[in-house]
Amino acid sequence: MKPKILLLTGETTKYTQYLLSQLLTSCSSRISLSEVSMSPWTPQEANVTVTFGQEVLSLFSDESLSDVRGTVLQGKDGRKIIPTIDLKDLVIDLSLDIIIRADLLKACREKDFSELKLPAWRFKSNPTYIECMTYLNDACEDRFVNDPLSMIAFDLETDMKNQQIICLGLAHSDSEGISIPFSRNGESVWTVDMEIALWKKIGEFFASPVKKVAHNACFDVASLWQNNRIWTNNLYFDTMLAWHVLYLPSGAKGFGMKKDLGFVASMMLNIPAWKHKSEEDLAIYNIKDCCATWALVSPLEKDIKNKGLAEIFNLEMSEIESVCYLSLRGIKIDLDQKNKVELELTNLYSEIEEKLYTLLGFDYGITENINFRSPKQLKELLYVTMGLPIQTVRGTDTVTTSEKALEKLYRKTKNEVLNLILQHREVAKLKSFCDIKLSPKGRVHTSYNIAGTTSGRWSSSENIILPYGSGNLQQIPLRGNGSIIRSMYIVENPENWIIQADFVQAEAVIVAYLIGDSVLKEAFRLKKDIHKVTASMMFNLPLEDISPEQREIGKLIRHATNYSLGANGLADVLRCETSIAKRYLEAFHASCPQLKRWQETIQYQLKSNRSLITPLGRKKVFLGRLDDTMFRSAYSFIPQSTIGDLLNKSLVKFYELYGEEYSLLLQLHDAMYVDDVPESKIQDCIDKMKSCMIWELKINGETCIVDVDFKKGKNWKDMEKIK
DNA sequence: GTTACTCTCCC
DNA sequence: CATGGGAGAGTAACA
């Protein structure tokens, strides 16, 4: 009897065979081993063949594995195959097993028949005006408004360069939809009157109570608002956010779990890959996106419900409107100040460079130009020409020219060249923050990505709709000379104020409650100087005897140990000898034994079920090898995620309650900013922000409250504390 | 043009 | 021997 499923693995080792058998065992409720046949290369008769890796796939198909992984396709010999990833890659990154498992389960669904079953697509890819209008009319119909199961998936294709919408896709089932075109090769598809009528109808549809779903709705919702002043009403489900909540990506970057529609579909649906077919009509691609999105809703919704993640999913959904608002509003830039700062930095840059060349020529006879931003050239200069002792990245033998290494060398040798290179680097970095494009209104914009991190914090990156500014606004310099950059970010109207509200020592408070350190909890409740308290515990001294230096050590060690920093790392942070750092660490752990005990319980939890859940109900599954790196990442997850979610929850609440009255400006993980607050309303604004930010968190049965601090300023640099 | 890598900015 | 979570600029090497 021929096997139903054939696994073509390519070359294997004992270890990869073991991993594969583990995988099959984990699927044993669905796959009977008697139905499976295994072979490294030799094709045999089977209903479905799973190919592991590019090499095996190439025996059957010219497709690239990264395009078609996890999809059912017809091989050259007519055989039905499902390509999956190479077992060799599984050895490198064990977290990939979740992907192979999904592909094996797909093979299981395909095992009883040998023919390729394609979805019965019914597309209107090149519709007439009448067809568009008819579809839109139907979409607003009672059926879609009243039937709780009815919903419409939508997706925009835009031309970034000309900032215009190419087409709008809509789907009302997993196989039926339309793509309404607007622009083809840069030219309008419709007459002006037709286009106006179409957009009016589209506006009606988006304003209607019909349930709408999308993958990464922030982009489509913000685009529709920016380009057409169309607001999306009753946005019911974002498949990307659902995926993010269910499977916070973990494991190696860019290799394992991704969040794009093609990948999510490959994991959950049974449709052919369509994303890489660039020769295909954009309209077809557009509708297929919508159909895939539509089809994903029900399985994702079921998973979210079953895993008890509805609350955290609803939080992420509620963030969409605030994120659209923040990204489209942007921040005002003082052009004069920008030019002034830029000029100063440019002058300083040339000055430093000149000094460097003078010194290098005098001391080392160097006459040719050196690119000080090139690590390669710098290594040559420092470690060969100048013969300085070679510095490596801690724990490795990678040669480095990093800031830390150069500082260390400077402390040792007092060679002015090192100091100048450091200054050169600093100024070059700052200069890059001035090199920004302003919008026609003199503003900069960023995109906040709700699904940007594994913790629930937002990430910030270049705005895809309004590509103005320096991209990530969560990394604008703050400390030292760099703070000058923030002076060009200014309040909307000069007579008004920017108000900043941030959680005080947020993550440390959460840690104190998690580990149950009563001294620390008491200190937070009484709003004591927490770094002094840490130092006092460490050095076993009364609070009033703590010197500023000891307080600084307390501050750094608290932050560092939350991520389980070692002695060498602490030595780097404190800029001291490893032996001294080691003594500090011992003193710290002696004064706070709860931390290590808590870390052990985290390790235990990971070993037993590989997942952690935060006080706000966010769950992260840790895939891959249970090693130190994973444990460290786990220690930081709960505090980081709790504060991220708490701030975003506060921000959404403020936006919903007071968004008409006050304009949100920025989000910085544990802080939010409001713009353009009149002098007379500062107190009112603060009261309202505070009312949205103070929450009673239950941690280990105790009530934990994170306090909030306020600052005001005319620009982002000169912020002074209020009260 | 894409990709890997280094370096440095934020919380 | 090993501090968590991000993004972007720049260089270098590849296609």
Side-chain angles (χ1 to χ4, degrees):
Chain A
M1 198 177 86
K2 70 175 186 183
K4 291 179 172 177
I5 303 175
L6 169 66
L7 307 182
L8 278 186
T9 58
E11 278 162 27
T12 56
T13 62
K14 281 258 154 54
Y15 186 50
T16 55
Q17 282 164 24
Y18 164 76
L19 290 175
L20 186 56
S21 71
Q22 291 275 304
L23 264 165
L24 285 169
T25 313
S26 80
C27 302
S28 61
S29 61
R30 309 273 290 280
I31 303 176
S32 154
L33 288 180
S34 63
E35 298 171 332
V36 179
S37 166
M38 229 182 287
S39 159
W41 298 107
T42 332
Q44 302 168 25
E45 281 295 308
N47 281 340
V48 57
T49 304
V50 180
T51 65
F52 290 76
Q54 179 69 61
E55 222 177 327
V56 186
L57 173 62
S58 302
L59 297 176
F60 299 92
S61 165
D62 296 328
E63 300 275 17
S64 157
L65 177 60
S66 57
D67 293 333
V68 296
R69 195 231 95 247
T71 60
V72 188
L73 58 141
Q74 189 113 41
K76 281 176 192 163
D77 57 358
R79 201 185 300 272
K80 191 166 74 177
I81 55 174
I82 298 179
T84 191
I85 43 191
D86 205 316
L87 288 171
K88 286 193 213 85
D89 292 328
L90 178 63
V91 175
I92 298 165
D93 179 2
L94 286 176
S95 69
L96 296 175
D97 70 347
I98 192 168
I99 299 174
I100 299 182
R101 194 165 182 272
D103 297 344
L104 288 175
L105 291 175
K106 185 167 285 184
C108 180
R109 292 195 293 272
E110 295 279 328
K111 71 180 157 61
D112 292 321
F113 51 95
S114 58
E115 72 275 18
L116 192 69
K117 288 184 182 168
L118 290 172
W121 307 113
R122 284 207 298 280
F123 292 160
K124 280 204 178 67
S125 61
N126 193 11
T128 63
Y129 174 76
I130 300 293
E131 283 172 326
C132 292
M133 289 303 254
T134 309
Y135 191 97
L136 287 163
N137 271 321
D138 290 351
C140 299
E141 227 181 52
D142 289 355
R143 171 164 85 88
F144 283 102
V145 177
N146 296 326
D147 180 354
L149 295 175
S150 291
M151 59 190 179
I152 291 191
F154 68 102
D155 180 50
L156 287 177
E157 304 297 335
T158 59
D159 177 355
M160 295 302 165
K161 211 168 70 215
N162 303 313
Q163 292 198 19
Q164 58 177 329
I165 290 172
I166 297 171
C167 56
L168 167 68
L170 299 168
H172 58 284
S173 81
D174 63 0
S175 54
E176 301 159 285
I178 192 171
S179 177
I180 302 174
F182 291 98
S183 153
R184 230 173 249 137
N185 308 320
E187 283 176 34
S188 295
V189 172
W190 315 105
T191 66
V192 174
D193 288 349
M194 281 168 151
E195 186 160 342
I196 289 172
L198 274 172
W199 278 116
K200 201 171 157 232
K201 200 39 117 185
I202 291 167
E204 274 173 43
F205 164 70
F206 277 95
S208 75
V210 174
K211 284 201 272 187
K212 293 155 198 91
V213 300
H215 192 81
N216 189 15
C218 278
F219 171 72
D220 305 86
V221 170
S223 288
L224 282 170
W225 179 254
Q226 176 66 24
N227 292 306
N228 305 82
R229 285 296 178 266
I230 287 174
W231 185 253
T232 307
N233 188 36
N234 201 13
L235 180 65
Y236 173 71
F237 203 92
D238 186 323
T239 49
M240 189 174 85
L241 297 187
W243 181 254
H244 178 243
V245 163
L246 280 167
Y247 304 101
L248 288 171
S250 65
K253 282 264 165 62
F255 205 65
M257 301 285 272
K258 296 186 289 181
K259 59 187 179 191
D260 62 273
L261 183 60
F263 180 77
V264 180
S266 81
M267 293 289 281
M268 303 200 86
L269 302 176
N270 208 355
I271 53 173
W274 75 99
K275 284 288 187 186
H276 62 302
K277 305 271 184 189
S278 55
E279 74 277 9
E280 204 169 72
D281 189 348
L282 186 67
I284 301 276
Y285 177 98
N286 184 219
I287 308 173
K288 285 187 178 176
D289 274 359
C290 296
C291 288
T293 305
W294 194 98
L296 279 168
V297 174
S298 145
L300 286 169
E301 203 170 19
K302 208 174 80 196
D303 276 6
I304 283 176
K305 206 175 154 198
N306 289 342
K307 294 184 179 174
L309 296 169
E311 201 174 324
I312 206 74
F313 173 66
N314 290 337
L315 172 61
E316 288 200 4
M317 285 299 295
S318 76
E319 291 167 9
I320 292 173
E321 190 170 337
S322 313
V323 160
C324 290
Y325 175 82
L326 281 165
S327 74
L328 294 181
R329 185 180 187 277
I331 304 176
K332 198 170 174 179
I333 293 290
D334 182 341
L335 195 57
D336 291 339
Q337 180 67 11
K338 171 181 141 24
N339 291 336
K340 201 183 124 199
V341 171
E342 194 167 12
L343 185 68
E344 268 173 34
L345 289 170
T346 307
N347 289 339
L348 194 54
Y349 185 84
S350 336
E351 219 174 276
I352 293 167
E353 203 159 57
E354 203 172 306
K355 275 192 208 165
L356 253 174
Y357 279 123
T358 311
L359 211 54
L360 284 172
F362 194 76
D363 288 352
Y364 301 95
I366 290 167
T367 48
E368 73 274 28
N369 276 358
I370 294 170
N371 184 350
F372 298 103
R373 279 162 308 196
S374 160
K376 201 182 165 194
Q377 293 184 33
L378 209 53
K379 277 174 204 170
E380 169 87 17
L381 172 71
L382 295 180
Y383 304 130
V384 181
T385 313
M386 293 173 64
L388 293 165
I390 289 173
Q391 303 294 309
T392 57
V393 176
R394 185 160 18 90
T396 71
D397 42 17
T398 315
V399 179
T400 180
T401 59
S402 69
E403 190 183 10
K404 288 246 158 53
L406 264 55
E407 276 177 5
K408 205 167 160 190
L409 282 174
Y410 181 69
R411 281 202 301 274
K412 248 186 222 167
T413 63
K414 296 286 172 212
N415 191 326
E416 199 53 30
V417 171
L418 296 162
N419 198 13
L420 285 169
I421 291 173
L422 282 167
Q423 287 179 32
H424 186 275
R425 276 242 187 90
E426 188 190 8
V427 175
K429 178 79 178 174
L430 292 183
K431 245 160 62 87
S432 75
F433 283 103
C434 294
D435 185 19
I436 53 176
K437 196 174 148 207
L438 301 189
S439 78
K441 290 178 177 170
R443 310 179 76 86
V444 291
H445 299 261
T446 191
S447 279
Y448 292 105
N449 313 305
I450 298 173
T453 76
T454 55
S455 63
R457 294 209 306 205
W458 294 351
S459 73
S460 158
S461 55
E462 182 178 38
N463 193 306
I464 33 181
I465 301 166
L466 299 162
Y468 305 107
S470 57
N472 184 349
L473 271 183
Q474 291 175 326
Q475 57 168 176
I476 304 299
L478 170 71
R479 286 176 263 277
N481 301 328
S483 66
I484 190 73
I485 300 298
R486 292 197 177 196
S487 66
M488 48 202 224
Y489 294 77
I490 55 166
V491 66
E492 181 81 22
N493 292 297
E495 67 274 18
N496 293 339
W497 295 88
I498 295 171
I499 306 291
Q500 170 192 348
D502 65 308
F503 285 130
V504 184
Q505 290 297 325
E507 288 180 24
V509 178
I510 304 297
V511 171
Y513 279 79
L514 283 172
I515 68 177
D517 185 323
S518 41
V519 178
L520 215 53
K521 283 188 287 186
E522 180 75 358
F524 278 122
R525 266 198 294 274
L526 299 175
K527 299 181 187 179
K528 287 193 195 165
D529 181 336
I530 209 68
H531 305 315
K532 256 189 177 172
V533 173
T534 307
S536 141
M537 287 161 66
M538 258 181 80
F539 297 112
N540 224 347
L541 289 170
L543 218 53
E544 53 276 14
D545 291 353
I546 298 298
S547 69
E549 292 76 25
Q550 285 168 326
R551 179 185 181 276
E552 188 62 20
I553 292 168
K555 178 180 169 181
L556 292 171
I557 208 166
R558 172 70 60 192
H559 184 253
T561 47
N562 285 344
Y563 305 131
S564 69
L565 188 74
N568 279 308
L570 185 62
D572 273 356
V573 177
L574 292 174
R575 296 184 160 77
C576 69
E577 291 302 317
T578 307
S579 56
I580 298 170
K582 203 173 165 190
R583 283 215 304 279
Y584 287 151
L585 265 183
E586 280 161 6
F588 177 83
H589 282 298
S591 75
C592 182
Q594 299 92 330
L595 184 65
K596 282 222 154 147
R597 281 211 297 275
W598 176 78
Q599 291 180 346
E600 278 160 21
T601 66
I602 292 291
Q603 289 196 22
Y604 177 78
Q605 275 184 54
L606 251 50
K607 283 171 191 158
S608 57
N609 63 9
R610 286 182 169 267
S611 68
L612 293 175
I613 189 150
T614 72
L616 290 174
R618 186 180 291 276
K619 189 172 153 192
K620 178 169 175 176
V621 179
F622 291 79
L623 304 169
R625 220 178 292 270
L626 286 158
D627 54 13
D628 274 1
T629 310
M630 180 189 285
F631 290 139
R632 275 194 295 273
S633 150
Y635 303 148
S636 65
F637 170 66
I638 295 179
Q640 197 170 100
S641 170
T642 306
I643 293 305
D645 280 331
L646 201 68
L647 189 275
N648 291 334
K649 209 170 150 178
S650 310
L651 187 146
V652 170
K653 189 176 174 187
F654 185 83
Y655 178 83
E656 286 175 353
L657 288 176
Y658 310 114
E660 299 276 324
E661 193 177 357
Y662 294 111
S663 310
L664 281 165
L665 179 70
L666 272 167
Q667 188 268 23
L668 258 85
H669 305 304
D670 63 354
M672 60 192 222
Y673 291 69
V674 172
D675 192 13
D676 211 27
V677 179
E679 180 88 37
S680 61
K681 297 189 80 176
I682 290 178
Q683 192 56 47
D684 178 65
C685 179
I686 289 174
D687 292 343
K688 284 173 176 164
M689 288 177 97
K690 194 154 190 167
S691 73
C692 295
M693 294 176 80
I694 297 293
W695 302 87
E696 291 190 350
L697 272 179
K698 282 272 178 267
I699 300 180
N700 288 335
E702 283 187 88
T703 304
C704 162
I705 294 175
V706 184
D707 200 22
V708 185
D709 259 1
F710 291 92
K711 287 180 181 161
K712 64 171 184 177
K714 297 287 184 188
N715 65 59
W716 194 9
K717 173 174 178 278
D718 305 304
M719 303 289 292
E720 55 180 279
K721 205 165 168 170
I722 302 177
K723 271 189 284 189

